Amino acid sequence: MNQAKLNRKINISRVLGTTIKEGKLVQKEIARRMHVTPSAIAHLKKGDMPLQFENIEALMKATGKQNQFLAMEISNKMVGITTPVIDGDKIMKEPLAMAVKTMPELSQAMTSIQKSMDEMTIPSDQLKKENLEDPEELVKECFDAVLYLMNLIAYVCKAFGFSMQDMLKQRVKRWVMKGIVKGVD
């Protein structure tokens, strides 16, 4: 079974270019904030140079609060267990369109969860090959739903000027208070 692997160097050129353009950012200012040369930012933007792990925090701070798509892309490429940014040519990239696409994905995920309930009651040492089909479909459908949900959240945050990271931090505090997750640093 493949395990998640940390990629310490990643290409973020596609999303960095969009972040700079849509955020009306200046490469020279990003470079100043990161304490690197403007040419380093130009190379990151062109894909000539990968983003290194140790520079992520500085880049996130340098690009400001409307960097949710950059954060998602870094998370996806760095660790590989989060969803990528929806940026294909066959989908509208705005909150309402994303909401419309998310609803059926959520419905399909809920259906797959329902279909998997009986398999989830079978002790793991008694599972047979035929018991894996519904749970496997559950994982696929839930990933589809999470893809659209994460992007919906990002597009709503962008459209309304919310910081996705700050809002998530607030929710994590709430989840800690409710005992859903343990305290985090």
Side-chain angles (χ1 to χ4, degrees):
M1 183 174 281
N2 290 336
Q3 294 294 318
K5 179 183 138 193
L6 179 67
N7 293 316
R8 297 193 66 79
K9 297 178 181 179
I10 58 171
N11 182 328
I12 57 160
S13 59
R14 184 176 40 80
V15 176
L16 180 60
T18 303
T19 300
I20 290 170
K21 180 181 176 186
E22 290 181 359
K24 296 178 178 70
L25 302 171
V26 178
Q27 288 178 210
K28 191 174 182 178
E29 181 60 21
I30 294 171
R32 186 190 66 73
R33 292 177 187 169
M34 289 182 65
H35 307 289
V36 298
T37 64
S39 67
I41 302 303
H43 285 297
L44 276 175
K45 186 178 170 191
K46 285 194 264 180
D48 297 338
M49 181 175 82
L51 175 65
Q52 296 191 22
F53 181 78
E54 50 275 356
N55 295 328
I56 293 172
E57 185 176 8
L59 178 62
M60 296 309 295
K61 287 180 179 177
T63 52
K65 75 176 190 174
Q66 288 297 312
N67 61 10
Q68 57 271 18
F69 296 105
L70 182 60
M72 287 172 59
E73 185 75 358
I74 290 170
S75 297
N76 175 259
K77 288 190 173 184
M78 188 70 55
V79 184
I81 61 169
T82 59
T83 62
V85 173
I86 290 179
D87 61 357
D89 295 332
K90 297 186 181 199
I91 188 162
M92 288 179 57
K93 296 155 200 78
E94 54 95 30
L96 182 58
M98 207 56 58
V100 167
K101 292 291 287 181
T102 300
M103 296 303 288
E105 295 297 338
L106 285 172
S107 178
Q108 291 169 8
M110 294 296 292
T111 299
S112 68
I113 291 168
Q114 286 286 333
K115 287 181 178 179
S116 297
M117 295 295 268
D118 55 337
E119 286 90 347
M120 289 189 234
T121 63
I122 301 172
S124 60
D125 62 340
Q126 296 177 21
L127 284 171
K128 296 181 171 81
K129 188 174 181 179
E130 62 267 16
N131 302 127
L132 303 179
E133 290 176 18
D134 286 344
E136 185 176 326
E137 191 63 21
L138 175 151
V139 172
K140 291 175 184 176
E141 293 296 336
C142 286
F143 269 138
D144 291 348
V146 170
L147 169 69
Y148 283 95
L149 278 169
M150 286 299 297
N151 280 273
L152 171 61
I153 292 167
Y155 280 104
V156 168
C157 287
K158 177 183 172 188
F160 292 94
F162 305 144
S163 166
M164 188 170 163
Q165 292 87 346
D166 289 346
M167 292 190 81
L168 180 56
K169 286 177 189 173
Q170 292 170 3
R171 297 309 288 183
V172 169
K173 286 179 185 177
R174 183 169 186 244
W175 300 332
V176 168
M177 288 175 39
K178 288 182 158 199
I180 299 169
V181 299
K182 294 189 177 192
V184 291
D185 296 336

